Amino acid sequence: MSQMNSAYRLATTSFTAIALAIAAPAVPAFAAEDGAPTATESAEPGDLTQLVSQVAIPYEQFELDNGLTVIVHEDRKAPIVGVAVWYNVGSKDEPEGKTGFAHLFEHLMFNGSENAPNDYFQYLQEIGATDSNGTTNFDRTNYFQTVPRPALERALWLESDRMGYLLGAVTQEKLDNQRGVVQNEKRQGDNQPGGLVFYEILDKMFPEGHPYGHTPIGSMADLDSASMEDVRNWFRDKYGPNNATIVLAGDISAAEARPMVEQYFGPIPRGPVNNPAEAAIPVLEEDIRSVMRDRVAATTITKYWPAPGITSEELTALNIGTSIFGGLASSRLDEVLVRDEQLAVGVGAGNFDFQRMGILLVNATLKPGVELATLEARLDELIAEYIAEGPTEDEVRRAATSQLATTIRGLEQVGGFGGKAVTLARGEVLAGDPGLFKKQFDTLASLTAADVKAAMERWLTRPSFTLVLEPGERDSQYEEASSVEAGEASASPAEPEEITVSKVRPAPPIDTIASLDFPELERATLANGMQLTYAQRDAVPATYVTMSFDAGSAADPVDKRGLEDLTLELFDEGTADLTSQDIAEQRERLGASISTGGGADRSTFTLSALSSNLTPSLELLSSVVREPAFNAADLERVRAQTITGIKQQLTTPQGIAFRSIAPEVFGAASPYGGNSTVESVSSISREDLVAFKDTWIRPDNGEVFVISDRPMAEIVAALNGVFGDWNAPATAKGTKSFSLDGAPDAGNRIILINRPNSPQSFILGAQLTPLNAADDSYIDFTNANNSLGGNFLARLNMNLRETKGWSYGVRGGPQARENAVVYNISGGVQADRTGDSVAELIRETGEFLSTNGVTAEELARNVASEIGELPGRFETSPAVLGAMQSNALFGRPDDYYESLVAKYEAQTASGLDAAARSALDVNKFVWVVVGDASQVQSQLEALGMPVEVRELPSEE
């Protein structure tokens, strides 16, 4: 929770709204070079040309006779392959009356194809896929999964079956069900604070009929009116191989890939070509303004400007320009509005680039007690100054170095939302060039302050749309998504519609299993007595250092809840010699990040650094950890941000529910049972911060975890050179007591928190279990839970989402702490099915724990999934770093993860049933429901459990 994080702790609805329409940014790969400086020979910070020259994703590209574009990137670091299939169709390509079709089809393509008729996730789990999903935005629809190398052919068979042989498996029942799921997806988004902002942005910024003028989720009326023939024709027109690109990134060469791709995709015939809709950059005739009200904790003002798309020569300048102005921790807006003048508790700026156009935005969240007019006037002045003066060359270098360093550290991932496969696919599909990233980075290397100034001046001087979102009741009529065939759920189930198989295509076998090669761990004791656990990974020239202290939120005094969080927030807000602005600028010059966190049981400081700059990065980390100033002005500023964050949590259904459940499960006096409140945070003094640091953040109460491309000897020397003289203070270190005396044990009850006008209810059920995450048998419970609530195919989700269509998603799973394990079930459901949903969750769980345990099919699928996922789970250094810390927290051996295969293979259905039934009792759940009491109270009372109705928690 460093400044880098706290700058974004008040995630604004402006960024959230825009993010709904775009994919995660692509992350290029890094080609390591020999002869890089050692950890103690720091490279010159800000050498952009050198950094850019090392960023590369070598690829080979070819095209099948049917027009399918294939791109292959070879990366042999792990036995996995990222598979990405991008279709050149998005919501901007939808004609009037068919909005939402691209997104609806994304859902339908997960519902089975002719030769793989079951849920797509079932087949992915069977082969051990990780990072699997699909997304739709304005410009494209994509599907991705990372699979073990031996399962690659099976993945290609699956993707080709839904590309070429889908329609025989699309039934009216599936269509109706997925319309219901989409409706609940819309309700879930709309139910969040600021959930209606995106509609307003599109309405005000785009003229009627503009391709970008409607949301990807589309019109529910259009979806409801879609006939089966409409749906079939949409697929025939848009999803042919000549309208698609497939990228394979990982343990595969182009020579190996070509015959596989030709075998499975080659027979699919060409279809019509979708020429992406042309769309002009909208021009506002004059400045326009809207004021919206919603359940938000503070007023946010956001200004939006239309901008060019991803092929614009000005794109890099706009990205860097907005980063300097409001994106970096050292940004102009942070320095002036948050730190110096303290008019805002959060700021931001960004450039969201689409294929044909983009949106620039700048925003600020009002500090309590400040007039909106004052903040807006100062924001306008800063925008005008920035346009007139432009950035400095130092700012440009810092922003560029920060961007490149972040890229380099994320380079190990081949698939998922932001891996190398996405980078290549995005460039090809949206710009006709898989190497687009390289051109953009070449531009970055030579970018000047004058370039940035010219781009910002060109686009920020045009008319803009200003949106003010302030606390209050929504003042416009909300259009509820109607329920598909509401009221007919109790009817007898219809006979399944027959699937037509146009061509029989047997699934290819999987002959071998990819094995996990978890890094060997080494240990040393530093000069200050701290134990170092080290692993070497050389895929990227980066070093990760986590200093972990035995504290966490459980170290908070009962009357000072939030002390640990507030203290950690303030560590990098100033040291004996550096201001928070100095710290932010130094991080950016070094390409380093410093973050704090850790959870309930540990407090952590994590440094992510370029190995060439390790020593100066460690020196900065040392200043932050050892010499925090805890200045009074910084304390009051961060206190205001923290209090606003608490109030914001009290506006979201999830935040309300999870803040309410802990004292019900543990008791308010337990280290695990409390929440920070406005009152508790307001009572914390500087003396409390100093006492917390001296009691908990000290070398005799912590350990160090490192992953680096550098050898251990270099790491030990660097750490000793910086931290070797750190001594513990004379005061005693802290202790925690985890007695459960006084914890409430009355389950089988409902707490209904009234949140009027909620289109969805959020349900959270929890109970304290006798489980211990350190026990060898714990994985028996977690794999048993894969049948009940642990993944998409688990019974709770398949019932409420895929069968009933009442929810966008439900999950159940354990939350493991060092001294307790709580089991949670949670999900949002449509308001008119709240009571029915709770009843189904109870019935499904009760049957699983008694008469309907783990089936042979579930056991086989879940064991295969857990084993197959292991190589993909530890693809990146941060994932290994997290596993090292988990092993330490729970006292597990170094070979814990490598030993899991044998343990999974030995599991039986009866053994998993026993693990689940000894851990859970369906009658011990405490249920918290956040929803509109006028709609749901009678539904809940009909369940026969005590129902306690509470009003929304006050903002204190």
Side-chain angles (χ1 to χ4, degrees):
M1 301 173 202
S2 66
Q3 177 62 39
M4 182 169 287
N5 288 334
S6 63
Y8 299 100
R9 61 178 302 139
L10 304 171
T12 67
T13 53
S14 305
F15 281 106
T16 304
I18 297 295
L20 291 172
I22 64 172
V27 179
F30 185 90
E33 292 186 348
D34 295 332
T38 67
T40 55
E41 300 172 344
S42 63
E44 185 68 25
D47 188 347
L48 299 182
T49 302
Q50 181 187 27
L51 288 176
V52 168
S53 69
Q54 300 174 70
V55 178
I57 311 177
Y59 65 89
E60 293 187 45
Q61 182 174 356
F62 56 90
E63 185 175 298
L64 302 190
D65 291 342
N66 60 10
L68 177 67
T69 298
V70 184
I71 301 168
V72 182
H73 164 65
E74 187 174 351
D75 178 348
R76 300 289 187 178
K77 73 174 182 299
I80 56 176
V81 179
V83 180
V85 179
W86 282 46
Y87 290 92
N88 182 31
V89 58
S91 62
K92 78 171 185 298
D93 303 307
E94 296 163 345
E96 185 178 357
K98 289 183 171 56
T99 66
F101 270 44
H103 176 248
L104 177 64
F105 241 96
E106 176 212 318
H107 281 249
L108 286 170
M109 288 180 75
F110 279 103
N111 266 195
S113 54
E114 294 175 12
N115 293 281
N118 298 321
D119 193 286
Y120 196 81
F121 286 107
Q122 173 180 324
Y123 303 104
L124 292 180
Q125 283 193 19
E126 289 172 352
I127 64 177
T130 56
D131 292 325
S132 57
N133 213 327
T135 67
T136 307
N137 71 8
F138 289 125
D139 299 317
R140 54 93 191 116
T141 305
N142 72 346
Y143 303 89
F144 50 88
Q145 54 264 300
T146 299
V147 300
R149 176 61 176 84
L152 177 59
E153 282 199 65
R154 180 73 62 86
L156 296 176
W157 171 77
L158 284 167
E159 285 287 7
S160 62
D161 209 61
R162 66 177 172 183
M163 177 186 288
Y165 311 95
L166 180 81
L167 290 184
V170 177
T171 64
Q172 188 66 47
E173 179 185 10
K174 288 181 179 180
L175 175 59
D176 290 342
N177 173 268
Q178 289 309 307
R179 281 194 291 218
V181 171
V182 170
Q183 288 165 357
N184 276 298
E185 181 178 0
K186 183 178 187 299
R187 290 188 188 98
Q188 183 166 300
D190 294 352
N191 199 33
Q192 301 304 310
L196 306 184
V197 163
F198 192 37
Y199 306 120
E200 184 73 5
I201 296 171
L202 299 185
D203 179 67
K204 292 297 189 292
M205 292 195 67
F206 297 97
E208 185 174 353
H210 193 283
Y212 288 90
H214 65 270
T215 66
I217 206 165
S219 161
M220 297 301 102
D222 286 355
L223 296 185
D224 286 342
S225 65
S227 67
M228 181 62 73
E229 193 58 27
D230 289 335
V231 170
R232 292 178 184 275
N233 287 335
W234 177 263
F235 178 79
R236 295 185 186 108
D237 287 346
K238 306 297 184 184
Y239 293 86
N242 50 319
N243 203 44
T245 295
I246 181 169
V247 179
L248 304 179
D251 189 14
I252 184 78
S253 68
E256 294 166 327
R258 182 185 285 270
M260 295 185 196
V261 176
E262 288 179 339
Q263 178 181 352
Y264 295 108
F265 290 88
I268 303 172
R270 284 177 175 265
V273 174
N274 178 55
N275 294 310
E278 294 295 333
I281 301 171
V283 177
L284 302 179
E285 295 183 0
E286 59 183 0
D287 291 336
I288 53 178
R289 185 183 189 89
S290 290
V291 177
M292 299 180 70
R293 296 176 181 84
D294 208 340
R295 296 183 181 96
V296 293
T299 297
T300 296
I301 180 170
T302 309
K303 295 178 181 292
Y304 302 90
W305 292 264
I310 68 166
T311 59
S312 168
E313 293 182 357
E314 294 177 296
L315 180 67
T316 301
L318 292 172
N319 289 339
I320 293 298
T322 53
S323 182
I324 292 167
F325 191 60
L328 295 172
S330 69
S331 73
R332 300 275 185 100
L333 294 182
D334 269 290
E335 183 178 16
V336 176
L337 296 183
V338 178
R339 295 191 186 99
D340 292 349
E341 300 177 13
Q342 297 193 25
L343 301 177
V345 292
V347 295
N351 178 32
F352 295 92
D353 53 310
F354 310 122
Q355 185 177 34
R356 302 300 194 201
M357 51 82 62
I359 295 177
L360 294 166
L361 67 84
V362 171
N363 65 19
T365 300
L366 189 68
K367 181 180 179 180
V370 176
E371 293 294 326
L372 175 62
T374 303
L375 173 62
E376 184 171 6
R378 190 68 178 106
L379 180 62
D380 287 339
E381 288 176 1
L382 292 171
I383 294 171
E385 289 174 8
Y386 190 52
I387 292 170
E389 300 171 3
T392 66
E393 292 293 347
D394 180 63
E395 285 176 317
V396 172
R397 282 195 301 274
R398 282 192 283 109
T401 301
S402 182
Q403 179 179 330
L404 283 165
T406 300
T407 296
I408 290 168
R409 288 193 295 269
L411 315 174
E412 296 168 290
Q413 188 175 3
V414 294
F417 279 101
K420 291 182 277 188
V422 169
T423 302
L424 296 171
R426 187 171 191 259
E428 171 62 25
V429 173
L430 302 187
D433 180 7
L436 176 67
F437 75 93
K438 177 62 175 166
K439 294 178 180 177
Q440 292 172 338
F441 277 108
D442 287 343
T443 300
L444 184 64
S446 60
L447 192 69
T448 67
D451 295 331
V452 175
K453 179 180 182 295
M456 301 303 283
E457 184 176 12
R458 182 189 307 276
W459 295 100
L460 293 189
T461 54
R462 301 186 178 202
S464 65
F465 166 50
T466 298
L467 189 147
V468 177
L469 180 65
E470 58 188 27
E473 291 301 313
R474 291 181 173 178
D475 51 6
S476 61
Q477 184 64 37
Y478 172 66
E479 182 180 348
E480 166 69 283
S482 61
S483 301
V484 171
E485 298 184 359
E488 297 184 9
S490 60
S492 299
E495 288 295 321
E497 297 175 69
E498 186 173 345
I499 291 176
T500 302
V501 179
S502 58
K503 180 179 180 180
V504 176
R505 306 172 73 241
I510 300 175
D511 297 326
T512 60
I513 297 175
S515 60
L516 168 65
D517 183 18
F518 197 82
E520 293 295 321
L521 302 185
E522 301 178 58
R523 288 186 171 79
T525 300
L526 301 180
N528 61 18
M530 298 181 79
Q531 178 175 281
L532 166 66
T533 303
Y534 162 89
Q536 187 165 18
R537 298 274 300 247
D538 59 5
V540 296
T543 297
Y544 299 83
V545 179
T546 291
M547 308 195 83
S548 176
F549 300 91
D550 186 0
S553 60
D556 284 343
V558 173
D559 62 343
K560 300 281 186 181
R561 300 286 193 185
L563 174 59
E564 184 249 7
D565 178 72
L566 187 62
T567 306
L568 292 184
E569 287 280 358
L570 280 154
F571 266 90
D572 70 348
E573 292 293 343
T575 69
D577 301 313
L578 301 170
T579 67
S580 57
Q581 184 72 17
D582 294 334
I583 293 170
E585 291 182 6
Q586 282 202 28
R587 282 201 311 252
E588 292 155 8
R589 288 190 186 95
L590 292 167
S593 76
I594 298 173
S595 61
T596 58
D601 298 300
R602 296 292 184 268
S603 299
T604 60
F605 298 77
T606 297
L607 167 70
S608 302
L610 299 174
S611 294
S612 56
N613 288 335
L614 179 57
T615 294
S617 299
L618 283 173
E619 289 169 348
L620 182 60
L621 176 66
S622 177
S623 295
V624 167
V625 174
R626 298 171 62 179
E627 303 171 352
F630 297 142
N631 293 315
D634 294 327
L635 170 58
E636 294 312 313
R637 171 171 54 81
V638 175
R639 192 199 310 273
Q641 292 175 320
T642 302
I643 288 173
T644 305
I646 292 171
K647 292 180 177 180
Q648 188 62 38
Q649 288 178 14
L650 293 171
T651 68
T652 68
Q654 296 91 333
I656 294 166
F658 278 100
R659 287 179 67 87
S660 300
I661 200 68
E664 303 297 333
V665 172
F666 291 108
S670 166
Y672 294 147
N675 296 299
S676 58
T677 65
V678 172
E679 180 182 8
S680 67
V681 171
S682 298
S683 72
I684 293 171
S685 66
R686 182 183 185 278
E687 290 70 26
D688 294 325
L689 305 176
V690 173
F692 186 92
K693 171 188 177 293
D694 290 343
T695 303
W696 301 100
I697 310 302
R698 45 195 286 164
D700 59 347
N701 193 48
E703 56 186 317
V704 184
F705 302 88
V706 174
I707 294 184
S708 178
D709 64 320
R710 301 304 196 204
M712 183 172 177
E714 279 191 30
I715 298 300
V716 171
L719 286 169
N720 279 335
V722 176
F723 285 95
D725 62 347
W726 186 24
N727 298 313
T731 56
K733 67 179 179 180
T735 59
K736 295 173 278 189
S737 173
F738 290 93
S739 170
L740 294 177
D741 293 343
D745 58 6
N748 212 33
R749 58 193 172 100
I750 299 173
I751 299 168
L752 170 59
I753 301 177
N754 182 26
R755 188 174 185 268
N757 302 316
S758 296
Q760 268 196 341
S761 299
F762 185 79
I763 299 171
L764 171 63
Q767 65 175 277
L768 184 63
T769 76
L771 293 165
N772 183 342
D775 291 344
D776 284 344
S777 60
Y778 184 65
I779 67 163
D780 291 338
F781 175 79
T782 59
N783 206 17
N785 181 60
N786 283 331
S787 296
L788 177 63
N791 53 55
F792 186 91
L793 292 176
R795 298 179 191 183
L796 298 179
N797 185 67
M798 293 299 286
N799 183 356
L800 293 194
R801 173 177 164 136
E802 297 298 296
T803 301
K804 301 291 194 302
W806 298 342
S807 174
Y808 184 51
V810 175
R811 292 291 188 274
Q815 288 190 333
R817 299 171 173 84
E818 186 176 20
N819 296 282
V821 176
V822 172
Y823 187 84
N824 291 332
I825 295 173
S826 65
V829 301
Q830 60 195 61
D832 62 345
R833 291 295 185 180
T834 303
D836 293 335
S837 297
V838 174
E840 283 297 297
L841 294 174
I842 293 172
R843 179 194 63 77
E844 197 80 70
T845 304
E847 291 180 1
F848 178 73
L849 297 174
S850 56
T851 61
N852 190 18
V854 176
T855 66
E857 179 185 352
E858 288 172 331
L859 175 66
R861 182 179 70 234
N862 291 331
V863 166
S865 176
E866 291 290 346
I867 293 174
E869 287 178 4
L870 286 171
R873 283 176 60 188
F874 301 109
E875 176 189 5
T876 66
S877 293
V880 175
L881 189 68
M884 292 162 62
Q885 293 174 72
S886 292
N887 283 348
L889 180 65
F890 297 118
R892 296 168 176 163
D894 290 350
D895 67 348
Y896 172 76
Y897 291 100
E898 290 176 316
S899 72
L900 289 179
V901 172
K903 293 176 181 178
Y904 284 126
E905 289 177 339
Q907 288 177 338
T908 64
S910 60
L912 298 191
D913 286 343
R917 292 166 187 176
S918 65
L920 298 180
D921 183 338
V922 72
N923 293 314
K924 288 188 177 180
F925 280 101
V926 177
W927 298 95
V928 173
V929 178
V930 181
D932 188 335
S934 68
Q935 293 189 57
V936 307
Q937 182 174 353
S938 60
Q939 299 178 46
L940 297 175
E941 289 173 341
L943 300 177
M945 288 186 286
V947 178
E948 176 190 353
V949 182
R950 300 178 185 175
E951 293 304 312
L952 281 174
S954 69
E955 294 186 355
E956 305 166 85

